[in-house]
Amino acid sequence: MGKTILVTGGAGFIGNCFCKLLLKERPDWKVVNVDCLTYAANPATIKEELKNPNYVFYKTDIRDRNGINAVFEKERPDTVVNFAAESHVDRSIENPGIFLETNILGTQVLLDACRKYGIGRFHQVGTDEVYGDLPLDRPDLFFHEDTPIKTSSPYSTSKAAADLLALAYHRTYGLPVTVSRCSNNYGPYQFPEKLIPLMINNATHDKPLPVYGKGLNVRDWLYVEDHCRGILAVLEKGRVGEVYNLGGHNEKSNIEIVKIILKELGKPESLITFVADRKGHDQRYAIDPSKAMADLGWAPTTMFRDGIKLTVSWYRENTRWLDDCTSGEYRNYYDKMYGKRSDK
Ligand code: NAD
Ligand code: TYD
């Protein structure tokens, strides 16, 4: 048997893609998924993985120190990759507390367990949002690994704190830590509160597409599997104590994305509705991934025009998965977040 790798948040969008990649391409590794299944995790996501003898699942909260220690005691992982997080900016604006608890204190619990039981590597999955935003009129500017941390939302602030805490455990205790910071991901299994799946879901049901402000904010989109391959490259070729930016130089404004989705689904642009802007809305994110490319030999392989087709068709073919996510609590969420926004 190869490594035992503990993946937190492995029932979520990116963590599950990472588990799928490992089970496929590192068949001698044991994959231990620790996820407490928040609203963002649809249990159907991990249905196939549960049948794999190299995969085990623990329904455990990363904030639960005894629970996490028990998993470490039993599984003795040599590598930990921390995806588990509260991940939606809009929710962090409504309720910051849970973001600080999960994203910062949960990360501390994991780092302490790594110290207690010994570890070959702790990898923290970070976001480019820790660098704040770039102005729309300076396309020459990018986020580099040494760009100052300058967060805007409670979400990005909690993620910045987690990155810094992980790096502090490297410097102070010599824990073998790496950090990656990625741009916006898209692909199958993303919870439909984020831009792309929300717009696909609404357009499919001929519901208005709520574009914040004028839709001119820019995000740098990366196909989820490319992100996961980047993390694997950091684990296998990265140097401890280092940060690696992952992104694909694929910047698009929100309105461009929404129009591409409508075209792909054959739906009219009249569904677009401009609504009140997000508070503190970051203008532009843009990653310079040249360090990861040079040091790890990593590069994205899925072009946006292909990735978005794959994504739209996946949601078209998996209506049951989407319906599971959008029944019940999601409706209250949607009314709360969008009901008051529609009067721009
Ligand atoms: P997600 O919201 O889809 O999934 C998060 C997962 O973590 C869920 O399965 C949830 O149940 C689990 N989780 C949440 N709190 C937990 C807790 N206390 N204990 C155990 N499990 C818990 O998020 P995602 O989009 O897959 O993001 C994964 C990671 O990647 C996050 O750390 C996020 O900050 C980071 N990231 C995301 C993006 C993006 O575009 N989605 C970009 C860069 C970085
Ligand atoms: P999101 O998917 O929430 O990711 P992030 O804020 O982490 O980048 O949003 C992506 C962009 O889309 C962001 O500029 C906000 C915008 N947006 C909308 O215009 N309407 C929406 O309903 C959502 C969810 C996002």
Side-chain angles (χ1 to χ4, degrees):
M1 199 73 187
K3 285 182 189 304
T4 296
I5 181 164
L6 190 154
V7 176
T8 70
F13 166 49
I14 311 174
N16 172 255
C17 179
F18 187 66
C19 293
K20 283 186 162 71
L21 179 71
L22 295 178
L23 293 171
K24 191 167 67 173
E25 299 195 1
R26 298 294 180 276
D28 61 333
W29 292 16
K30 180 173 183 187
V31 178
V32 179
N33 174 16
V34 172
D35 194 305
C36 70
L37 304 182
T38 66
Y39 77 92
N42 179 344
T45 301
I46 61 170
K47 209 173 61 202
E48 285 308 309
E49 287 67 61
L50 287 171
K51 296 178 195 157
N52 191 313
N54 290 349
Y55 179 90
V56 278
F57 171 57
Y58 290 87
K59 187 174 182 305
T60 305
D61 193 313
I62 60 165
R63 295 169 297 171
D64 170 7
R65 195 173 285 275
N66 292 336
I68 289 297
N69 285 347
V71 176
F72 272 73
E73 189 86 51
K74 177 127 196 289
E75 299 291 345
R76 296 287 171 163
D78 30 59
T79 302
V80 173
V81 182
N82 183 26
F83 290 92
E86 289 293 333
S87 67
H88 190 34
V89 173
D90 290 327
R91 286 185 193 256
S92 83
I93 294 167
E94 293 297 307
N95 180 20
I98 182 74
F99 284 73
L100 309 189
E101 286 173 23
T102 293
N103 300 0
I104 307 174
L105 299 179
T107 301
Q108 188 213 349
V109 167
L110 294 169
L111 289 163
D112 286 341
C114 289
R115 283 190 67 210
K116 183 172 161 121
Y117 294 96
I119 199 81
R121 180 72 67 84
F122 177 90
H123 182 76
Q124 175 64 14
V125 179
T127 167
D128 62 354
E129 300 191 25
V130 301
Y131 301 121
D133 63 352
L134 296 164
L136 291 176
D137 60 357
R138 290 291 308 273
D140 55 313
L141 297 181
F142 294 93
F143 295 140
H144 309 279
E145 285 80 359
D146 59 0
T147 298
I149 302 286
K150 190 171 177 294
T151 56
S152 311
S153 70
Y155 163 69
S156 55
T157 305
S158 67
K159 291 294 293 180
D163 286 8
L164 296 179
L165 193 64
L167 292 167
Y169 271 57
H170 169 65
R171 166 93 187 226
T172 305
Y173 306 116
L175 202 70
V177 165
T178 43
V179 174
S180 55
R181 294 184 179 141
C182 190
S183 58
N184 286 58
N185 286 214
Y186 70 102
Y189 296 102
Q190 187 170 29
F191 192 79
E193 63 188 353
K194 305 282 169 61
L195 179 74
I196 289 182
L198 185 142
M199 297 300 170
I200 295 173
N201 183 46
N202 283 19
T204 305
H205 294 98
D206 298 306
K207 281 176 57 179
L209 307 193
V211 174
Y212 299 166
K214 294 191 169 69
L216 299 179
N217 305 62
V218 168
R219 298 292 183 263
D220 180 359
W221 295 94
L222 184 70
Y223 193 61
V224 60
E225 195 177 305
D226 281 325
H227 180 191
C228 292
R229 286 184 190 283
I231 293 169
L232 189 54
V234 176
L235 290 182
E236 296 185 327
K237 298 180 201 155
R239 281 192 297 138
V240 298
E242 295 285 319
V243 174
Y244 296 89
N245 281 354
L246 301 172
H249 280 304
N250 181 59
E251 292 178 49
K252 299 226 176 307
S253 67
N254 297 336
I255 193 73
E256 279 179 271
I257 294 283
V258 168
K259 287 183 178 172
I260 292 170
I261 291 170
L262 285 170
K263 196 158 173 222
E264 203 56 45
L265 287 167
K267 297 285 184 177
E269 290 190 6
S270 55
L271 287 175
I272 295 172
T273 318
F274 293 97
V275 300
D277 210 349
R278 174 184 279 173
K279 293 189 181 82
H281 199 170
D282 280 336
Q283 295 292 315
R284 170 177 169 249
Y285 301 145
I287 280 272
D288 171 9
S290 50
K291 176 177 170 183
M293 287 176 162
D295 292 6
L296 313 174
W298 171 84
T301 56
T302 304
M303 301 294 291
F304 187 77
R305 62 169 179 271
D306 301 323
I308 195 69
K309 277 187 198 300
L310 286 172
T311 305
V312 171
S313 353
W314 186 87
Y315 281 96
R316 282 179 111 153
E317 286 157 20
N318 289 276
T319 47
R320 178 117 183 248
W321 185 91
L322 199 50
D323 290 346
D324 283 349
C325 296
T326 54
S327 60
E329 188 45 39
Y330 183 84
R331 290 196 194 139
N332 300 335
Y333 166 79
Y334 198 90
D335 290 347
K336 184 168 170 235
M337 301 302 275
Y338 293 92
K340 66 186 177 199
R341 263 198 154 115
S342 52
D343 56 344
K344 195 194 164 203

